[in-house]
Amino acid sequence: MRRLLTLRNTRRVAQVFFFGLFLFFVFITDLRYLKGYPVSLFLQLDPLVAFATAITTHTVYMGLLWSLMLIVPTLLFGRIFCNWICPYGILHHFIGWLMGKRRAEERERIEANRYKKLYSLKYVILIAMIAAALGGSLQIGWLDPICLFHRSMSTVILPAINLFFPSSIYVRQYFHVGAWVIGFLLLFLVGMNVVIPRFFCRVLCPLGAFLGTLSSVALWRIDRDVTKCVDCDLCLKNCEGASDPQTDLRKSECFVCFNCIEDCPEDALSFKFMPSLKTEVTAPVVSGRRAFLGALTGLAFYAFGRASGASDRNYDKKVIRPPGSLEEKDFLGACIKCDQCIRVCPTNVLQPALMESGIEGIWTPILNMKIGFCEPNCTLCGAVCPTGAIQPVTIEEKNGTGSFATEGPIKIGLAFFDYGRCLPWAMETPCVVCEEVCPVSPKAIFSHEVTITKRDGNPITLRRPYVDPALCTGCGICEHECPVTDEAAIRVTAIGETRSHDRRLLMDGGVTGATPDLEKRQR
Amino acid sequence: MSSTNPNDSPRSPENSVSRREFLVRFGATGALIAGSGIAACRLWQPNHFVPGFQKEKGLQLRSYAPEPSKVLPSLAIAHGTEHETTIRAALAALGGMERFIQKGDVVMIKPNVAFDSPPPLAATTHPDALRAVAKLVLEAGARQVIVADNPINSPTGCFLKSGLAAVTSEMNLNLIYPGSNSFAPLQLDGGEILKYWTFFNEPFKTATKVIGLAPCKDHNLCHASMTTKSWYGLLGGRRNQFHQHIHSIVSDFALMMKPTLVILDGMNVLMSNGPTGGRLSDVKPMNTIVAGTDMIAVDAYGYTHLLGRDLAELTYIHKAHARGLGNKNWQDTLYKEVQA
């Protein structure tokens, strides 16, 4: 009779549980279901997020302390995260089983799982990312599996599901600029399992590289009893990490999946406390020259990105950051591109940036008022942000009400009229939808009634709108609701944002007309 | 192939095709030829058309109006200090909710939840008002209560922050969000401006009665948003074009929708910075509920007595009155004013 309580089955239960938990968190990251669940837990557990943000921000932000929960077991047992907990690793494991060499001949499967030199690439990638972080540019999000998986789910997978099954995920269909790039990248990485099993995990994963480095000192390791071993190589048949258990074990590559122990016909393999290191490759194998090249690339990435000026004087008017965001350079050092803010945003206004904020800012969140707008009584993006790139401001802090009346509201930009496209200004037609939807009180958009003589000689009375820059918060609902939908007659640009002293517009918050800012708001 | 092998010659039995194989292969190829021919002919579009100028036909909304009564009032004004007792008093004055709702009815209550604004700011239907009306409707024997609106801000945010989502889950009402599949084109014969538009059809598939439950609000362009303007929330599509003819559109709503009952919540009135409001100082307690079967009469009372303004400027009321869609002279109708 086959035993049920095997190591392999125990691991499978854990995999199903953690994968399910990840999908559950992804699904409930929505205003309707979000009831204090720690939906960013996997990101907070991610030690690479904690480590890299500690380099860029010199702090371990709030919930990132949870990463100790992973660091400690990794130091004891090795990379158990990769094959027991990591939802992206579990996805690749499953896809590899489904599409891979499951039905292939034993020999072919054994060959597919031998260690290759290519697998050291992930350490070079990790070194490059850490070097960029030393400059102040946080780039782990490109390939950190948790960031990558969250981003893929939020920007393409869930919207795609909703396309096939309307209203299953969103009340109204969500759109994400450039989502197809993220989608095809996911397909490519998943598809590569056909060529090399666990391609992403073995070759690219910077978190795996980080955990692999930590696991050099792990106390429990797979040990091979050479007196029992008959060199049949069957331990390689299902080896997930390609860690060479048939010879000198490469501990930094081992996913601790225990398949080798179960597959060994001679019981030569065991998971042992402090076995001798003599027959092991204990640390990652990367040549010094490659490591140096990696570091150089990372530093260059930072320097080339910053030298392009997109986070400085040449900043783009479209880089409108969520309310509570850090000043731009700090933001680039804290945002991991996990796009949890984009997932939770109730209006779909948050979009993954392409080149708006430079190459450093790819897939960081920016507001696109054509697609949505920033709801005044909402601060969900800051609430789910795992790294504090968007601070969890309160509604009162955001809107400058209650005890924050003196500071005033957080401004994310400023609305400007394009009178040449505005119906009452250019086309003798009534409108002022912008004034109607303006959510601040008193309204930042106001209008004056004018009676003009139309082209046909008849008089018409219209309201013509204006913006009061002291009151405008840049929420963008005016732009979103403007009937000139291809390029609105009122558009928000980034100038005037309160997070940056360099990008403010009015001194003292603005004295337009005769009434100072604060007095206006309190009127 | 120019092989010298005798087996390859055309007459050899290895190369000849059996009758059975011939029929199968010939049949398969022939069926595909015939199939593609038939499919092409059936799908053939011989004429061109002008995109966007096709003939538009849509569903027509039926009337949900109650039987007219000669003895019972059609307008009730109730003054009181809290929602439930005041709404009860207003309905009692009209002859009770049983006059409008019968056993087994599916009642659609249309609140105004346009913005993601908390209840004290009076920009949305108050949760206490919804609770009171739903209670009365259920007491009258309704089988189900539907609550639906298509807000300007995000639907989930609006229902959550207005406090209405809490009421629907607490009372087990059927909250219908405006999903992508919830709309169908509506055709309005006789509309001045609104003739054909995307309509939030989902709730009307099952509803047998419709109650409008609107807050009384200032409006920057339309001067006021009351029970008539509230039907804006049943439409979808490019609603931001409505503002080019706002009073014509709002008077068209009185043609489009023949509700069972409308209730204007004037307990707390948004007096300024409408329709969004934003500060408590924009809100004034007026402690009044107006209910009736004629939304034009209800709005006329609301504009003069709750917002305290001159009816002459409220163009849509006069348009609707002139079109016979309601009576702006509410004093001339059978009305009753009560104290809760």
Side-chain angles (χ1 to χ4, degrees):
Chain A
M1 204 184 94
R2 285 180 66 187
R3 280 175 60 220
L4 275 179
L5 196 71
T6 57
L7 278 170
R8 208 191 314 243
N9 283 346
T10 315
R11 191 201 66 222
R12 281 174 181 153
V13 169
Q15 286 178 298
V16 169
F17 171 75
F18 284 112
F19 195 74
L21 188 66
F22 177 80
L23 291 185
F24 173 72
F25 283 152
V26 166
F27 181 74
I28 62 156
T29 310
D30 178 307
L31 177 65
R32 286 168 291 175
Y33 321 121
L34 191 78
K35 293 187 174 68
Y37 287 109
V39 289
S40 297
L41 183 67
F42 280 92
L43 292 153
Q44 291 170 331
L45 281 172
D46 185 331
L48 182 58
V49 171
F51 179 71
T53 52
I55 295 175
T56 50
T57 66
H58 314 298
T59 52
V60 172
Y61 178 74
M62 291 189 176
L64 294 183
L65 208 58
W66 282 108
S67 60
L68 287 175
M69 296 287 290
L70 257 180
I71 290 178
V72 173
T74 305
L75 290 173
L76 292 176
F77 307 112
R79 290 169 70 177
I80 47 162
F81 176 76
C82 300
N83 228 67
W84 289 67
I85 300 170
C86 177
Y88 200 52
I90 294 165
L91 175 76
H92 284 286
H93 187 174
F94 179 71
I95 298 293
W97 172 81
L98 198 71
M99 318 277 290
K101 307 194 183 325
R102 161 164 62 113
R103 277 179 297 268
E105 242 186 293
E106 210 160 62
R107 263 305 119 194
E108 200 185 332
R109 291 173 64 179
I110 288 170
E111 293 313 313
N113 292 333
R114 281 194 202 283
Y115 178 78
K116 291 185 178 66
K117 232 179 166 181
L118 177 68
Y119 298 169
S120 66
L121 179 63
K122 58 181 175 289
Y123 297 100
V124 182
I125 292 173
L126 175 68
I127 289 166
M129 284 171 175
I130 290 173
L134 284 170
S137 183
L138 191 60
Q139 298 301 330
I140 55 160
W142 282 87
L143 287 173
D144 178 277
I146 309 297
C147 300
L148 197 161
F149 203 16
H150 265 300
R151 179 172 65 239
S152 307
M153 292 303 284
S154 301
T155 61
V156 272
I157 302 300
L158 295 184
I161 292 171
N162 201 71
L163 269 181
F164 291 114
F165 306 99
S167 300
S168 57
I169 309 285
Y170 312 105
V171 171
R172 296 173 184 159
Q173 178 68 40
Y174 267 39
F175 304 99
H176 296 105
V177 175
W180 62 273
V181 180
I182 298 169
F184 279 121
L185 186 66
L186 179 76
L187 272 187
F188 167 74
L189 293 173
V190 166
M192 276 305 284
N193 281 299
V194 177
V195 185
I196 296 177
R198 302 292 293 260
F199 168 78
F200 176 84
C201 311
R202 293 179 186 174
V203 182
L204 298 176
C205 184
L207 176 58
F210 186 74
L211 296 175
T213 310
L214 290 186
S215 62
S216 326
V217 299
L219 299 180
W220 273 270
R221 319 168 84 95
I222 303 275
D223 187 48
R224 184 169 63 107
D225 186 342
V226 286
T227 57
K228 284 184 182 170
C229 179
V230 295
D231 290 330
C232 65
D233 287 357
L234 282 177
C235 50
L236 277 178
K237 197 170 81 178
N238 293 303
C239 178
E240 288 296 319
S243 59
D244 281 353
Q246 84 288 7
T247 166
D248 295 351
L249 180 83
R250 296 171 182 271
K251 179 61 183 171
S252 57
E253 304 303 307
C254 175
F255 293 173
V256 205
C257 69
F258 297 132
N259 281 341
C260 56
I261 296 181
E262 307 242 320
D263 286 342
C264 179
E266 309 294 328
D267 271 340
L269 293 166
S270 58
F271 196 54
K272 256 196 178 158
F273 179 69
M274 285 227 206
S276 155
L277 297 181
K278 275 180 202 142
T279 56
E280 266 197 31
V281 183
T282 47
V285 182
V286 192
S287 81
R289 270 179 284 186
R290 281 177 203 201
F292 176 72
L293 195 67
L296 204 63
T297 311
L299 285 174
F301 189 98
Y302 157 75
F304 296 171
R306 288 291 151 103
S308 303
S311 56
D312 210 289
R313 262 178 293 172
N314 192 33
Y315 74 100
D316 194 303
K317 64 183 175 187
K318 287 184 184 153
V319 182
I320 302 164
R321 295 291 189 192
S325 291
L326 303 176
E327 191 275 322
E328 184 66 12
K329 288 190 183 93
D330 295 336
F331 188 87
L332 292 173
C335 176
I336 51 172
K337 316 169 196 279
C338 67
D339 293 354
Q340 282 285 78
C341 50
I342 289 174
R343 168 72 186 113
V344 80
C345 178
T347 73
N348 194 201
V349 68
L350 286 182
Q351 295 291 322
L354 296 171
M355 280 297 175
E356 290 89 345
S357 55
I359 193 165
E360 289 177 82
I362 287 182
W363 299 329
T364 58
I366 55 174
L367 281 81
N368 181 327
M369 313 303 186
K370 212 167 170 175
I371 299 177
F373 58 92
C374 187
E375 265 185 9
N377 293 311
C378 172
T379 54
L380 289 176
C381 47
V384 299
C385 180
T387 64
I390 312 169
Q391 290 289 311
V393 293
T394 63
I395 301 274
E396 281 200 342
E397 285 166 335
K398 179 182 174 184
N399 294 334
T401 52
S403 46
F404 300 93
T406 330
E407 289 86 352
I410 293 174
K411 298 180 180 206
I412 56 175
L414 181 58
F416 291 83
F417 274 107
D418 184 345
Y419 285 150
R421 300 176 69 83
C422 179
L423 272 59
W425 280 101
M427 301 171 206
E428 305 178 334
T429 304
C431 186
V432 292
V433 181
C434 47
E435 182 187 17
E436 169 181 348
V437 294
C438 180
V440 298
S441 180
K443 285 178 185 292
I445 297 177
F446 59 98
S447 58
H448 287 313
E449 200 166 89
V450 286
T451 303
I452 55 164
T453 308
K454 290 211 290 184
R455 191 182 180 191
D456 61 11
N458 294 320
I460 184 173
T461 302
L462 300 161
R463 304 202 67 91
R464 283 181 168 165
Y466 302 81
V467 177
D468 184 337
L471 295 173
C472 178
T473 61
C475 77
I477 192 169
C478 49
E479 179 176 343
H480 184 254
E481 293 294 329
C482 177
V484 194
T485 48
D486 61 342
E487 187 177 32
I490 182 162
R491 297 188 294 277
V492 175
T493 67
I495 185 71
E497 48 181 11
T498 40
R499 67 182 179 131
S500 159
H501 284 280
D502 296 340
R503 298 186 192 176
R504 291 187 185 181
L505 182 62
L506 306 172
M507 294 184 72
D508 86 331
V511 184
T512 61
T515 346
D517 190 8
L518 178 60
E519 208 178 303
K520 271 187 201 169
R521 274 184 275 118
Q522 289 173 337
R523 200 167 56 196
Chain B
M1 293 252 269
S2 57
S3 173
T4 51
N5 188 333
N7 283 348
D8 281 352
S9 77
R11 277 159 192 257
S12 79
E14 285 83 3
N15 267 6
S16 72
V17 170
S18 75
R19 175 166 312 172
R20 187 188 166 77
E21 192 190 348
F22 170 82
L23 285 176
V24 167
R25 285 169 61 183
F26 189 83
T29 311
L32 274 176
I33 292 170
S36 40
I38 291 166
C41 289
R42 292 197 66 148
L43 297 173
W44 186 41
Q45 184 212 310
N47 302 313
H48 87 290
F49 65 96
V50 187
F53 286 175
Q54 295 96 315
K55 267 230 159 28
E56 290 166 329
K57 283 231 169 287
L59 61 94
Q60 281 173 329
L61 205 56
R62 72 175 178 87
S63 168
Y64 296 89
E67 291 288 317
S69 166
K70 289 224 160 63
V71 287
L72 291 167
S74 59
L75 180 75
I77 302 139
H79 304 287
T81 47
E82 52 127 12
H83 276 99
E84 187 172 339
T85 50
T86 317
I87 289 173
R88 259 180 207 283
L91 261 295
L94 288 175
M97 189 58 98
E98 293 75 16
R99 177 184 163 193
F100 304 102
I101 306 300
Q102 280 75 48
K103 215 170 154 28
D105 267 334
V106 176
V107 182
M108 140 91 162
I109 300 177
K110 158 63 178 86
N112 183 342
V113 205
F115 305 101
D116 76 322
S117 174
L121 295 181
T124 48
T125 294
H126 199 282
D128 290 347
L130 177 65
R131 193 180 287 111
V133 174
K135 219 179 203 173
L136 284 172
V137 163
L138 289 170
E139 281 170 13
R143 182 159 59 84
Q144 194 195 69
V145 177
I146 296 171
V147 179
D149 190 22
N150 181 22
I152 291 173
N153 292 11
S154 87
T156 49
C158 289
F159 273 101
L160 189 86
K161 285 165 222 168
S162 63
L164 296 194
V167 175
T168 58
S169 61
E170 156 201 326
M171 298 188 69
N172 205 15
L173 314 179
N174 181 11
L175 168 59
I176 300 183
Y177 285 113
S180 340
N181 282 1
S182 315
F183 291 83
L186 176 83
Q187 184 181 334
L188 188 63
D189 297 332
E192 193 181 315
I193 292 290
L194 194 74
K195 295 175 194 302
Y196 176 86
W197 206 268
T198 306
F199 183 73
F200 185 11
N201 185 40
E202 186 75 28
F204 294 91
K205 287 179 182 163
T206 49
T208 55
K209 297 285 159 62
V210 176
I211 297 178
L213 177 57
C216 185
K217 304 199 288 177
D218 168 54
H219 194 284
N220 72 320
L221 182 67
C222 194
H223 303 302
S225 170
M226 295 177 287
T227 60
T228 316
K229 171 120 188 2
S230 179
W231 303 117
Y232 184 101
L234 291 182
L235 297 164
R238 295 278 317 284
R239 292 187 294 187
N240 45 21
Q241 294 174 336
F242 291 171
H243 299 67
Q244 295 158 29
H245 305 277
I246 193 75
H247 289 289
S248 302
I249 284 282
V250 176
S251 70
D252 277 345
F253 290 163
L255 174 70
M256 175 183 88
M257 195 67 223
K258 300 286 179 206
T260 317
L261 176 72
V262 292
I263 301 170
L264 181 66
D265 180 358
M267 301 302 282
N268 290 296
V269 177
L270 184 68
M271 304 297 282
S272 55
N273 213 57
T276 51
R279 284 179 306 177
L280 286 171
S281 54
D282 294 321
V283 182
K284 187 175 166 192
M286 295 299 289
N287 301 321
T288 306
I289 294 286
V290 192
T293 50
D294 177 356
M295 62 180 104
I296 299 303
V298 169
D299 284 6
Y301 177 90
Y303 199 65
T304 50
H305 286 68
L306 298 178
L307 284 162
R309 298 182 188 172
D310 180 5
L311 198 62
E313 66 195 18
L314 197 62
T315 313
Y316 80 80
I317 288 274
H318 306 294
K319 274 180 179 280
H321 182 88
R323 292 166 71 185
L325 301 172
N327 192 344
K328 66 180 177 184
N329 304 312
W330 59 272
Q331 299 95 331
D332 301 346
T333 64
L334 202 53
Y335 77 93
K336 208 168 167 185
E337 190 156 2
V338 292
Q339 201 73 37

